[in-house]
Amino acid sequence: MHTLYDYWRSSAAYRARIGFHLKGVAYDPAAVNILPGKDEQFAPAYKAKNPQARVPTLETESGVLSQSLAILEWLDETHPEPPLLPGNAWARAQIRAFAYAICCDIHPMNNLSALARLRAQFGADDAAIAAWYLHWIGLGFAALETEAARRADSAFAFGDVPTLADVCLVPQMANARRYKMDLSPFPRLLAWDERARAHPAFVAAAPENQPDRPEKT
Ligand SMILES: N[C@@H](CCC(=O)N[C@@H](CS)C(=O)NCC(=O)O)C(=O)O
């Protein structure tokens, strides 16, 4: 069985978990506590697996693989049903563009180590960090919401079934909620997020349903 190095509140790991549950592929979760003070991602044994010191990391019989999008695409290629990237080349490119807007442009601005650097290098306090975090999510979501209006009738982000776009949207919405963001300017994203979160695969992958979630959160 595959081992997924994971942290319950990591949105990148959340993406990978959703992919496994959508595909119905079992994995062994191995918690890596990235909470400041725990810092298990920097332990030499973990860094030997993932020199970037981030989660998720997947360990298979072929070796180790980092990066949630690479893990998801590998899953999609090895277990084609149900497809994370359905449709023709153009349709698949549209889905990727939505997913990359989140994974490449929004999420890196909010990552733990980027926020820690703001504190260490520029002396940013909690309020400044929150403003930074919300700024980048707001900017990214506004663009996605504008683009979403073109598919206002779509049940999920791209059609009647969840795709890679929903896999990336839901964890980023969870991040926004963590920082108590007002999501009302993004009604279409909210509707897609709500529908996806009711799907059993998304329920199984949700942070609150992970074994390493501390009891009092
Ligand atoms: N692009 C990477 C991002 C991975 C990432 O940044 N993971 C975060 C948690 S969401 C992490 O491990 N942060 C630890 C740190 O920054 O020290 C992916 O999609 O897998």
Side-chain angles (χ1 to χ4, degrees):
M1 182 160 355
H2 314 306
T3 301
L4 184 67
Y5 294 90
D6 185 15
Y7 177 63
W8 68 284
R9 210 148 62 167
S10 153
S11 56
Y14 189 0
R15 293 175 204 144
R17 293 195 301 264
I18 298 168
F20 274 96
H21 288 288
L22 275 174
K23 297 289 186 180
V25 176
Y27 65 88
D28 265 335
V32 179
N33 194 339
I34 64 172
L35 201 67
K38 300 289 184 193
D39 304 313
E40 289 176 5
Q41 72 273 34
F42 301 116
Y46 184 69
K47 277 190 78 177
K49 295 181 196 300
N50 184 337
Q52 283 190 297
R54 295 188 178 200
V55 287
T57 304
L58 180 67
E59 195 159 32
T60 75
E61 60 282 357
S62 307
V64 286
L65 180 62
S66 62
Q67 291 292 340
S68 60
L69 286 176
I71 292 169
L72 288 161
E73 291 200 36
W74 171 82
L75 256 179
D76 210 30
E77 287 176 21
T78 52
H79 300 82
E81 293 300 328
L84 296 178
L85 291 165
N88 62 21
W90 184 253
R92 295 204 305 274
Q94 298 291 316
I95 297 169
R96 283 194 189 94
F98 188 101
Y100 294 177
I102 293 171
C103 302
C104 305
D105 294 343
I106 301 177
H107 177 257
M109 309 305 279
N110 304 154
N111 184 42
L112 192 61
S113 45
L115 302 182
R117 191 72 199 164
L118 290 176
R119 273 184 218 281
Q121 190 171 348
F122 303 107
D125 60 11
D126 286 349
I129 296 278
W132 168 275
Y133 196 105
L134 296 177
H135 168 79
W136 292 110
I137 299 184
L139 206 65
F141 277 2
L144 290 176
E145 180 70 25
T146 302
E147 194 239 322
R150 296 184 208 141
R151 297 185 304 284
D153 298 338
S154 192
F156 291 91
F158 288 85
D160 294 335
V161 289
T163 66
L164 186 70
D166 306 281
V167 169
C168 297
L169 175 63
V170 166
Q172 192 59 55
M173 293 289 269
N175 275 356
R177 286 198 189 87
R178 250 177 91 187
Y179 272 76
K180 309 210 178 334
M181 183 169 193
D182 172 17
L183 291 168
S184 61
F186 316 113
R188 179 51 40 197
L189 301 184
L190 269 175
W192 290 340
D193 171 68
E194 193 180 333
R195 184 162 292 109
R197 280 191 294 127
H199 187 292
F202 288 72
V203 172
E208 61 272 21
N209 296 327
Q210 302 315 301
D212 59 321
R213 179 195 179 200
E215 269 175 29
K216 286 187 186 151
T217 48

